[in-house]
Amino acid sequence: MRFKVLGPLEVTTAADARTVTPRAAKVRVVLSTLLVRPNEVVSVDGLIDELWSEQPPRTAMTTLQVYISQLRKLLQDVQPDLGRDALLTRAPGYLLRVDPGQLDLAVFEDLHRQGREALTEGDHATAADLQRKALALWRGPLLSDTPHGSLLKSMSVRLTEARLAALEQRVRAELLLGRHQEVLGELQALTTELPLHEDFHAHLMVALYRTGRQADALRTFGELRRTLVRELAIEPGRRLQQLHSRILTGDPALLEPAAKRQQRLTVDRQPAAAIADPTRTAPVRPARFPSADPLFTGRRNQLEQLTRWLRDRPGGCVQVTGPAGMGKTALAVSAAHRVAELFPDGRVLVGLRDEKGHPLPGARVLHAVLRALGAVGQQPRSVAALRDTVLRLTEGRRLLLVLDDAADADQLSPLLPLPAGCTALVTCRPVLPGLDGPVLPLEELSPADARELLLTSYSRRTTPYPGIDAPFENSSGDGLGDAGHNGYDGYPDEGDATSEPETAPGESDTRDVWDRLADQCGRLPGALRVVARHLTFHPHHSPADIATRLSSADSRPAALRALDEEYGRSLYAAYAAAPEEVRQAARLLSLLPSGPFTTTAAAVALGVPEEAAQLSVQSLVTAGLVVSSPDGTAHRFPELQRLTAGEALGEEQPARVRAALTRLSGAAADQTEAAQHAARMEGLHPLDWFAHRRQDLVTLLDQVHDAGLWAQTVRLADAMTAFLEALAAWDIWGHTHALALDAAGQLTDEAARARLLRSLGDLAWQRQRPDEARELYEQVLASPEAVSTERSRALAGLADVHLGDGAGTVAAGLVTPTLLRTPGDTRGCFEAHRVLGLHTLAAEGPSAAEGHFRQCLALAGTLGDRRLETYARRWLGRLRDGAVHPGWTEVRPGVWRGRRESRVQPEAGAGVRSPRRSRASSPRRELPSLR
């Protein structure tokens, strides 16, 4: 029995090809659904949904059983010995047993897979023949005479894409064989039918160019570009832009396919003696090596070092290591051009990952090396035979093999070591143990180099689609791609000059924008070029526009994908290619702030002991997602990799994310509380330490609040309060405490609400918003749960509002009861004496005020708060020396107010200070303790 679904449903007998296709539409639906999922259980629910969608009849189950019975009878009538056993009941549904040779869909998928593998191995004739046979099985759209439910619709979409892929690969193989005349008409029809399909337009451009119709090839690109802009508001992809540039400049390498330009080397199965005899091997004709990138910028010291190693160490192996996106390949190519004279037999670039970013196995690595060395046609199958062939091609020759993006030493073990005279330049993410030779680690570009690359790349592109700065040309060298380097890629000619940046050196505001863009790109070369290319192709967008689009860290990876989808995929590739346990660790560690982190911090985020955290970090280093210091004590996410992993947090179990945030916020609160009493924190003054960590703490508090961790939100905001007040960080103070106030409300913690309302009242007072401050303080006083300290401080705040209005007597009346009723409230008594001292100074003079400030000094000592103690000493010194400023008053520590007008002059690090105050007397330097 034969089943055909690639077109109208057709069932025929094997013996006499008699058609026995069911006539009833519903029976055809059931059979079709089972056929597109052959040898798999299709659930009863799935079949009912396919038959009746969202409106099944009450008798749906019974009716489905009738259809199954009819199909079993049909199968048994046609094939009595096996028919009834072909359709089986298997919970939770039914399974149709079909031999792959009986079903045209299975035959198509097998031929398509074989053709794809042949194309990968460079056997273009076999690839074209296999894809042609696969396409011949299609008689029309999938199951065109059968009603489609959700499952058949989705299968139709998938298989239509598979058919297009087979067609595209067949055309690609034909072009690689030099059959451009034969496919020209077909391509013209395909581009008319599929006006947005870039690959078919690219093939048409190549075919036209090779037939001497350069103008028509360029016109094809122009028509596609207009269609894309009009329909989708996007530009053609990078590979198509590169192909356009090569045709525009008349690239002669594009005129001939690989099969004619490269000398054929027959590597079909040969006798062992023939393989061992190097005299029977044709000369090596390596594929064209990528041109030197005229936009390569920076890395001067690393380039000099790498060049020196290649010159001083002929033969052997050199590694260039670093996380994904650091520009390892570009550096290796630039170094290879510098030492070209040392390798007269050629230089080749071999990509060691497939199109999905997965490492090639050892046998495919050898296949890729053979193709890069010029081998065409059928190649040996066994690893040993492939290794022998590589040795024959390289023995006695001086070659440089750039092995790009190696995963581990095992991947290279079938290839290395190379014969004497041949050198391997390996780019990889971690250092590969077991490979002899020096190692050059790469990190992000320096700020100066990043800015230079951004401006150079931007200014070089002064005409539409000029040069190319993208991935390297494929190993076949004709722009038609293969598994190693798929696409129309390449570099501009080596002689291109680099023009000066368009931005004048004196434009400081523009320079700030470029520096900001460089930081937003993580100083990664690929991201910098994406931004520059977008600005060139979209002149109506300014650098400031792009900086604004990239300003939000959470959405930055998505914004870069919007600028260049291909780069966005490459940014995600290292994460996607890692094992699940590594991706899970990356997601949780992305919750850590940007910059270096310790193994201890990683252990907190992951919720594991430090030994286990060290192993997890090492797996991230191996995957190319994290960099570790040489001694292994500090680690760092490249910023864009951290943000990419953070973007994938949605894949993580919410409970794990909440647990990690609970641990991280607890550790952050512990550290911030400890800093309030420390003389130094990590070698810094506590205020400097907090200023350095401030944005990270705000981000963490936002995450904790978003996760609904209310108690943790309140605690972290409380821990930050003293620092925010001392630094006059008003906006952040308001933001964090508004979130904490909401969290306290969620907890129905009235004591916490009163504390936060009082703090927000202090903020409103500092910002010269007396009505808002008065309302907040009164809310504290109205709360029955407010502790005495908060009530006393709210009363002092209200008193400060009245002092500002000139109502000193009212202010004194508000705070005096505190001294009488709650003498044990040390902080409340300090605030009461502070207010009374300010009032008596204005009303009665310095001598009357001195006693209150002496009380302030004693109370501050009891509190152990050096900030308050220093404030009291300053006032006593002024009163003693008669140095009270006639127009200004230090109302609170570091906060000055004019006596006749309410003015505030905030300065970084000290809230509001007297304009005559020197840096030596700044509260910022007098506050080793904040409480």
Side-chain angles (χ1 to χ4, degrees):
M1 186 177 294
R2 298 286 184 266
F3 302 96
K4 296 181 181 180
V5 297
L6 302 180
L9 176 63
E10 187 174 314
V11 183
T12 58
T13 59
D16 53 6
R18 178 168 51 90
T19 300
V20 290
T21 309
R23 295 183 179 181
K26 296 294 187 183
V27 177
R28 288 206 309 274
V29 170
V30 174
L31 178 59
S32 299
T33 305
L34 294 168
L35 285 172
V36 298
R37 301 268 299 273
N39 304 306
E40 296 181 24
V41 175
V42 181
S43 70
V44 169
D45 290 341
L47 289 168
I48 291 175
D49 183 63
E50 197 68 24
L51 285 164
W52 295 288
S53 188
E54 298 179 357
Q55 296 179 331
R58 288 179 297 172
T59 59
M61 182 71 72
T62 303
T63 307
L64 174 60
Q65 291 171 351
V66 171
Y67 297 154
I68 293 293
S69 177
Q70 292 176 8
L71 284 175
R72 281 178 172 151
K73 184 176 185 303
L74 169 67
L75 295 171
Q76 188 175 22
D77 289 345
V78 173
Q79 200 168 0
D81 52 342
L82 298 175
R84 191 156 190 87
D85 294 332
L87 182 51
L88 306 175
T89 301
R90 291 284 186 271
Y94 301 95
L95 180 146
L96 181 62
R97 292 166 52 182
V98 180
D99 185 82
Q102 293 180 284
L103 178 62
D104 61 350
L105 171 57
V107 176
F108 165 77
E109 290 182 327
D110 185 56
L111 289 170
H112 179 36
R113 177 188 56 78
Q114 292 182 51
R116 185 170 60 248
E117 291 176 355
L119 188 62
T120 298
E121 295 172 2
D123 190 352
H124 305 132
T126 300
D129 184 57
L130 288 169
Q131 299 292 10
R132 192 179 297 109
K133 290 178 180 177
L135 292 166
L137 295 171
W138 284 80
R139 299 167 292 111
L142 179 77
L143 297 164
S144 55
D145 63 342
T146 302
H148 287 200
S150 58
L151 190 148
L152 290 181
K153 284 179 181 177
S154 64
M155 285 297 297
S156 178
V157 171
R158 184 181 75 80
L159 291 172
T160 299
E161 287 299 319
R163 178 179 177 275
L164 284 176
L167 181 57
E168 188 276 329
Q169 290 168 24
R170 196 218 85 213
V171 172
R172 183 183 294 271
E174 302 273 16
L175 287 172
L176 284 164
L177 292 167
R179 300 171 182 169
H180 37 272
Q181 289 282 8
E182 291 87 336
V183 299
L184 184 57
E186 181 183 11
L187 283 170
Q188 288 173 327
L190 284 170
T191 53
T192 301
E193 179 185 353
L194 303 167
L196 300 178
H197 200 294
E198 293 194 16
D199 283 344
F200 287 133
H201 281 81
H203 294 326
L204 176 59
M205 290 166 65
V206 171
L208 290 168
Y209 181 64
R210 287 180 179 171
T211 55
R213 298 167 62 179
Q214 182 183 23
D216 289 338
L218 296 173
R219 187 179 297 112
T220 297
F221 176 86
E223 291 172 354
L224 173 63
R225 180 175 182 270
R226 284 190 293 273
T227 301
L228 290 172
V229 170
R230 182 179 65 251
E231 299 290 336
L232 303 176
I234 61 173
E235 295 286 345
R238 185 189 303 179
R239 291 197 297 269
L240 204 63
Q241 294 174 17
Q242 294 164 357
L243 176 62
H244 174 269
S245 177
R246 295 179 67 183
I247 294 174
L248 189 65
T249 56
D251 187 349
L254 197 59
L255 286 171
E256 288 186 291
K260 293 186 178 180
R261 186 171 67 252
Q262 298 174 350
Q263 178 173 346
R264 287 185 175 274
L265 174 66
T266 302
V267 290
D268 292 327
R269 297 174 184 172
Q270 303 173 13
I275 294 177
D277 182 6
T279 64
R280 300 187 60 178
T281 302
V284 174
R285 292 288 186 271
R288 185 176 120 187
F289 194 70
S291 302
D293 180 7
L295 302 180
F296 183 83
T297 303
R299 307 282 195 204
R300 294 177 182 84
N301 294 337
Q302 294 95 329
L303 184 58
E304 291 294 337
Q305 179 65 73
L306 185 56
T307 303
R308 191 158 50 248
W309 283 339
L310 293 174
R311 289 186 184 280
D312 298 344
R313 300 172 58 91
C317 178
V318 178
Q319 296 183 59
V320 179
T321 67
M326 290 297 168
K328 301 183 292 293
T329 309
L331 178 68
V333 169
S334 294
H337 279 283
R338 286 196 171 197
V339 297
E341 74 281 359
L342 299 180
F343 302 98
D345 293 312
R347 297 153 294 154
V348 294
L349 174 74
V350 182
L352 300 182
R353 293 181 185 263
D354 62 20
E355 60 276 7
K356 295 183 178 179
H358 300 301
L360 298 179
R364 288 190 61 186
V365 169
L366 294 170
H367 277 297
V369 170
L370 286 175
R371 289 198 306 276
L373 292 174
V376 179
Q378 187 67 34
Q379 296 176 2
R381 295 293 181 184
S382 72
V383 171
L386 287 166
R387 166 76 176 164
D388 289 342
T389 305
V390 171
L391 290 176
R392 283 193 300 107
L393 287 174
T394 55
E395 188 72 41
R397 295 179 171 106
R398 296 172 65 185
L399 291 162
L400 175 63
L401 271 65
V402 179
L403 304 175
D404 188 34
D405 208 3
D408 50 44
D410 290 342
Q411 185 187 31
L412 298 177
S413 60
L415 176 64
L416 301 180
L418 295 170
C422 295
T423 298
L425 175 52
V426 180
T427 71
C428 47
R429 295 168 188 174
V431 177
L432 303 186
L435 299 185
D436 294 332
V439 176
L440 180 67
L442 288 189
E443 294 187 357
E444 295 89 338
L445 292 172
S446 69
D449 284 348
R451 173 185 169 80
E452 182 183 354
L453 174 57
L454 190 61
L455 285 171
T456 302
S457 301
Y458 176 59
S459 60
R460 270 283 286 115
R461 292 171 172 78
T462 54
T463 58
Y465 314 109
I468 289 88
D469 73 327
F472 302 100
E473 188 172 64
N474 59 81
S475 58
S476 65
D478 64 355
L480 290 174
D482 60 25
H485 298 278
N486 187 18
Y488 299 84
D489 303 334
Y491 276 100
D493 293 335
E494 299 182 39
D496 290 349
T498 301
S499 61
E500 291 297 319
E502 296 177 359
T503 303
E507 297 178 3
S508 60
D509 56 338
T510 304
R511 187 161 60 246
D512 291 341
V513 169
W514 292 116
D515 290 341
R516 190 161 72 253
L517 280 171
D519 288 340
Q520 289 169 339
C521 291
R523 303 203 304 276
L524 298 183
L528 294 167
R529 290 182 174 185
V530 163
V531 169
R533 181 167 49 249
H534 181 87
L535 287 169
T536 299
F537 292 150
H538 300 80
H540 55 288
H541 288 166
S542 70
D545 293 334
I546 304 303
T548 300
R549 292 172 64 174
L550 298 177
S551 60
S552 172
D554 291 341
S555 61
R556 193 170 300 155
L560 284 170
R561 279 197 299 274
L563 296 181
D564 189 310
E565 184 178 353
E566 187 171 342
Y567 179 76
R569 286 196 301 269
S570 70
L571 188 64
Y572 187 76
Y575 168 82
E580 172 55 27
E581 61 271 17
V582 176
R583 295 200 302 272
Q584 185 179 82
R587 292 193 293 267
L588 294 181
L589 291 178
S590 73
L591 295 169
L592 292 170
S594 60
F597 61 90
T598 63
T599 303
T600 302
V604 172
L606 298 174
V608 298
E610 288 197 24
E611 296 78 7
Q614 184 66 46
L615 294 175
S616 293
V617 171
Q618 185 54 48
S619 68
L620 287 163
V621 173
T622 301
L625 298 175
V626 166
V627 183
S628 288
S629 61
D631 60 3
T633 59
H635 322 284
R636 183 176 52 80
F637 257 125
E639 184 62 7
L640 289 181
Q641 289 291 356
R642 185 183 74 85
L643 295 175
T644 299
E647 190 181 47
L649 269 175
E651 303 171 12
E652 190 55 75
Q653 298 176 13
R656 287 177 57 87
V657 176
R658 286 171 55 86
L661 287 171
T662 299
R663 294 189 296 269
L664 289 170
S665 62
D670 289 343
Q671 197 173 26
T672 307
E673 289 166 355
Q676 296 177 18
H677 307 285
R680 309 288 290 178
M681 284 294 293
E682 299 176 359
L684 300 174
H685 186 283
L687 285 172
D688 292 324
W689 172 86
F690 182 83
H692 182 69
R693 293 283 310 277
R694 176 169 57 190
Q695 191 54 52
D696 294 335
L697 290 170
V698 173
T699 300
L700 178 58
L701 190 140
D702 286 340
Q703 292 173 314
V704 171
H705 181 270
D706 289 344
L709 299 170
W710 310 126
Q712 290 79 6
T713 303
V714 171
R715 186 188 171 204
L716 187 55
D718 279 340
M720 297 168 65
T721 302
F723 289 103
L724 296 173
E725 182 177 358
L727 294 172
W730 291 345
D731 291 338
I732 294 177
W733 186 353
H735 172 73
T736 56
H737 282 57
L739 294 181
L741 184 62
D742 174 66
Q746 299 287 344
L747 292 169
T748 64
D749 185 343
E750 291 301 320
R753 286 192 78 253
R755 184 172 64 251
L756 293 161
L757 285 168
R758 191 269 311 157
S759 179
L760 289 170
D762 290 347
L763 172 61
W765 176 83
Q766 286 203 23
R767 301 183 92 163
Q768 290 288 48
R769 299 171 181 173
D771 293 338
E772 180 183 341
R774 182 181 290 108
E775 180 182 351
L776 289 164
Y777 290 138
E778 288 174 348
Q779 288 186 54
V780 177
L781 297 173
S783 172
E785 301 294 329
V787 298
S788 61
T789 298
E790 295 306 327
R791 295 179 64 82
S792 299
R793 295 185 68 178
L795 284 168
L798 274 176
D800 285 332
V801 173
H802 286 292
L803 283 175
D805 294 338
T809 303
V810 176
L814 286 171
V815 298
T816 299
T818 299
L819 301 176
L820 301 175
R821 298 173 186 169
T822 56
D825 179 1
T826 307
R827 180 60 190 265
C829 289
F830 174 92
E831 296 295 344
H833 280 294
R834 175 185 63 79
V835 172
L836 291 170
L838 295 172
H839 169 61
T840 54
L841 174 65
E844 303 175 30
S847 59
E850 184 175 354
H852 290 295
F853 285 111
R854 288 195 181 280
Q855 288 293 328
C856 285
L857 180 60
L859 292 165
T862 302
L863 289 168
D865 190 323
R866 297 184 185 179
R867 181 174 182 237
L868 300 182
E869 187 177 349
T870 304
Y871 170 76
R873 289 186 186 280
R874 281 199 299 270
W875 264 115
L876 289 171
R878 295 185 194 110
L879 296 173
R880 182 182 61 249
D881 300 337
V884 177
H885 196 283
W888 290 83
T889 298
E890 187 180 10
V891 183
R892 295 184 185 181
V895 181
W896 290 72
R897 289 283 168 87
R899 290 189 178 176
R900 288 192 175 89
E901 56 181 349
S902 298
R903 289 196 300 123
V904 186
Q905 294 184 352
E907 290 187 19
V912 184
R913 294 185 287 170
S914 164
R916 298 185 180 221
R917 163 163 288 200
S918 67
R919 182 172 178 82
S921 64
S922 165
R924 179 180 173 81
R925 299 299 157 191
E926 297 168 353
L927 302 179
S929 173
L930 295 172
R931 280 189 175 177

